[in-house]
Coordinates of all heavy atoms in Angstrom, one line a residue:
G172 N 10.7 -0.4 -12.9 CA 10.1 -1.3 -13.9 C 8.5 -1.3 -13.9 O 7.9 -0.4 -13.3
Q173 N 8.0 -2.3 -14.4 CA 6.5 -2.5 -14.4 C 6.1 -3.4 -13.3 O 6.4 -4.6 -13.3 CB 6.1 -3.1 -15.8 CG 4.6 -3.0 -16.1 CD 4.2 -1.6 -16.4 OE1 4.9 -0.6 -16.2 NE2 3.0 -1.4 -16.9
P174 N 5.3 -2.9 -12.3 CA 4.9 -3.7 -11.2 C 3.9 -4.8 -11.6 O 3.0 -4.5 -12.4 CB 4.3 -2.8 -10.2 CG 3.8 -1.6 -11.0 CD 4.8 -1.5 -12.2
S175 N 4.0 -6.0 -11.0 CA 3.1 -7.1 -11.3 C 3.1 -8.0 -10.1 O 4.1 -8.6 -9.8 CB 3.5 -7.8 -12.6 OG 2.6 -8.9 -12.8
I176 N 1.9 -8.2 -9.6 CA 1.8 -9.1 -8.4 C 2.1 -10.6 -8.9 O 2.6 -11.4 -8.2 CB 0.3 -9.0 -7.9 CG1 0.2 -7.7 -7.2 CG2 0.1 -10.2 -6.9 CD1 -1.2 -7.4 -6.7
D177 N 1.8 -10.9 -10.2 CA 2.1 -12.2 -10.7 C 3.6 -12.6 -10.7 O 3.9 -13.7 -10.6 CB 1.6 -12.3 -12.1 CG 0.1 -12.2 -12.2 OD1 -0.6 -12.5 -11.3 OD2 -0.4 -11.7 -13.3
N178 N 4.4 -11.6 -10.7 CA 5.9 -11.8 -10.7 C 6.5 -11.9 -9.3 O 7.7 -12.1 -9.1 CB 6.6 -10.7 -11.5 CG 6.3 -10.8 -12.9 OD1 5.9 -11.8 -13.4 ND2 6.3 -9.7 -13.6
M179 N 5.7 -11.7 -8.2 CA 6.2 -11.7 -6.9 C 6.3 -13.2 -6.4 O 5.5 -14.0 -6.7 CB 5.2 -11.0 -5.9 CG 5.1 -9.5 -6.0 SD 4.0 -8.9 -4.8 CE 4.0 -7.2 -5.2
S180 N 7.3 -13.4 -5.6 CA 7.5 -14.7 -4.9 C 6.4 -14.7 -3.8 O 5.8 -13.7 -3.4 CB 8.9 -14.8 -4.3 OG 9.1 -13.9 -3.3
D181 N 6.2 -15.9 -3.2 CA 5.2 -16.0 -2.1 C 5.6 -15.1 -0.9 O 4.8 -14.5 -0.3 CB 5.1 -17.5 -1.7 CG 4.4 -18.3 -2.7 OD1 3.7 -17.8 -3.6 OD2 4.5 -19.6 -2.6
E182 N 6.9 -15.1 -0.7 CA 7.4 -14.3 0.5 C 7.2 -12.8 0.2 O 6.8 -12.1 1.1 CB 8.9 -14.6 0.6 CG 9.5 -13.9 1.8 CD 11.0 -14.2 2.0 OE1 11.3 -15.3 2.5 OE2 11.8 -13.4 1.6
E183 N 7.5 -12.3 -1.0 CA 7.2 -10.9 -1.3 C 5.8 -10.6 -1.3 O 5.4 -9.5 -0.8 CB 7.8 -10.6 -2.7 CG 9.3 -10.6 -2.9 CD 9.7 -10.5 -4.3 OE1 9.1 -11.1 -5.2 OE2 10.8 -9.8 -4.5
Y184 N 4.9 -11.5 -1.8 CA 3.5 -11.2 -1.8 C 3.0 -11.1 -0.3 O 2.2 -10.3 0.0 CB 2.8 -12.4 -2.5 CG 1.3 -12.2 -2.6 CD1 0.7 -11.3 -3.5 CD2 0.4 -12.8 -1.8 CE1 -0.6 -11.1 -3.6 CE2 -1.0 -12.6 -1.9 CZ -1.5 -11.8 -2.8 OH -2.8 -11.6 -2.9
D185 N 3.4 -12.1 0.6 CA 3.0 -12.0 2.0 C 3.4 -10.7 2.6 O 2.6 -10.1 3.4 CB 3.6 -13.2 2.7 CG 2.9 -14.5 2.3 OD1 1.9 -14.5 1.7 OD2 3.5 -15.6 2.6
L186 N 4.6 -10.3 2.3 CA 5.1 -9.0 2.9 C 4.3 -7.8 2.4 O 3.9 -6.9 3.1 CB 6.6 -8.8 2.6 CG 7.2 -7.6 3.1 CD1 7.2 -7.5 4.6 CD2 8.7 -7.5 2.6
F187 N 4.0 -7.8 1.1 CA 3.2 -6.8 0.5 C 1.8 -6.7 1.1 O 1.3 -5.6 1.5 CB 3.1 -7.1 -1.0 CG 2.2 -6.1 -1.8 CD1 2.6 -4.8 -2.0 CD2 1.0 -6.6 -2.3 CE1 1.7 -4.0 -2.7 CE2 0.1 -5.8 -3.0 CZ 0.5 -4.4 -3.2
V188 N 1.2 -7.9 1.3 CA -0.2 -7.9 1.8 C -0.2 -7.5 3.3 O -1.0 -6.7 3.8 CB -0.8 -9.3 1.7 CG1 -2.1 -9.4 2.5 CG2 -1.1 -9.6 0.2
S189 N 0.8 -7.9 4.1 CA 1.0 -7.5 5.5 C 1.2 -6.0 5.6 O 0.6 -5.4 6.5 CB 2.2 -8.3 6.1 OG 1.9 -9.6 6.1
S190 N 2.0 -5.5 4.7 CA 2.2 -4.0 4.8 C 0.9 -3.2 4.5 O 0.6 -2.2 5.2 CB 3.3 -3.6 3.8 OG 4.5 -4.2 4.1
L191 N 0.2 -3.7 3.5 CA -1.1 -3.0 3.2 C -2.1 -3.2 4.4 O -2.8 -2.2 4.7 CB -1.7 -3.6 2.0 CG -1.1 -3.2 0.6 CD1 -1.8 -4.0 -0.5 CD2 -1.2 -1.8 0.4
E192 N -2.1 -4.3 5.0 CA -3.0 -4.5 6.1 C -2.6 -3.6 7.3 O -3.5 -3.0 7.9 CB -2.9 -6.0 6.6 CG -3.8 -6.3 7.8 CD -3.7 -7.7 8.3 OE1 -2.6 -8.4 8.0 OE2 -4.6 -8.2 8.9
L193 N -1.4 -3.5 7.6 CA -0.9 -2.6 8.6 C -1.3 -1.1 8.3 O -1.8 -0.5 9.2 CB 0.6 -2.7 8.8 CG 1.2 -1.8 9.9 CD1 0.7 -2.1 11.2 CD2 2.7 -2.0 9.8
R194 N -1.0 -0.7 7.1 CA -1.4 0.7 6.8 C -2.9 0.9 6.9 O -3.4 2.0 7.4 CB -1.0 1.0 5.3 CG 0.5 1.1 5.1 CD 1.1 2.4 5.7 NE 2.4 2.5 5.3 CZ 3.0 3.7 5.1 NH1 2.4 4.8 5.3 NH2 4.3 3.7 4.8
M195 N -3.7 0.0 6.4 CA -5.1 0.1 6.5 C -5.6 0.1 7.9 O -6.5 0.9 8.3 CB -5.8 -1.0 5.7 CG -5.6 -0.9 4.2 SD -6.1 -2.4 3.3 CE -7.8 -2.6 3.7
S196 N -5.1 -0.7 8.8 CA -5.4 -0.7 10.2 C -5.1 0.6 10.9 O -5.9 1.2 11.6 CB -4.7 -1.9 10.9 OG -5.1 -3.1 10.5
E197 N -3.9 1.1 10.6 CA -3.5 2.4 11.1 C -4.4 3.5 10.7 O -4.8 4.4 11.5 CB -2.1 2.8 10.7 CG -1.0 1.9 11.4 CD 0.4 2.1 10.8 OE1 0.5 2.8 9.8 OE2 1.3 1.6 11.4
Y198 N -4.8 3.5 9.4 CA -5.7 4.5 8.9 C -7.1 4.4 9.5 O -7.7 5.4 9.9 CB -5.8 4.4 7.4 CG -6.8 5.3 6.7 CD1 -6.5 6.7 6.5 CD2 -8.1 4.9 6.3 CE1 -7.4 7.5 6.0 CE2 -9.0 5.8 5.8 CZ -8.6 7.1 5.6 OH -9.5 8.0 5.1
T199 N -7.6 3.2 9.7 CA -8.9 3.0 10.3 C -8.9 3.4 11.7 O -9.8 4.1 12.2 CB -9.3 1.5 10.2 OG1 -9.3 1.1 8.8 CG2 -10.7 1.3 10.8

Side-chain angles (χ1 to χ4, degrees):
Q173 194 72 349
S175 175
I176 292 174
D177 295 333
N178 294 333
M179 288 183 182
S180 68
D181 289 342
E182 185 177 281
E183 289 173 323
Y184 183 79
D185 289 344
L186 181 60
F187 175 72
V188 171
S189 296
S190 297
L191 285 177
E192 180 183 21
L193 179 62
R194 292 282 188 154
M195 290 170 56
S196 294
E197 290 172 351
Y198 176 77
T199 303

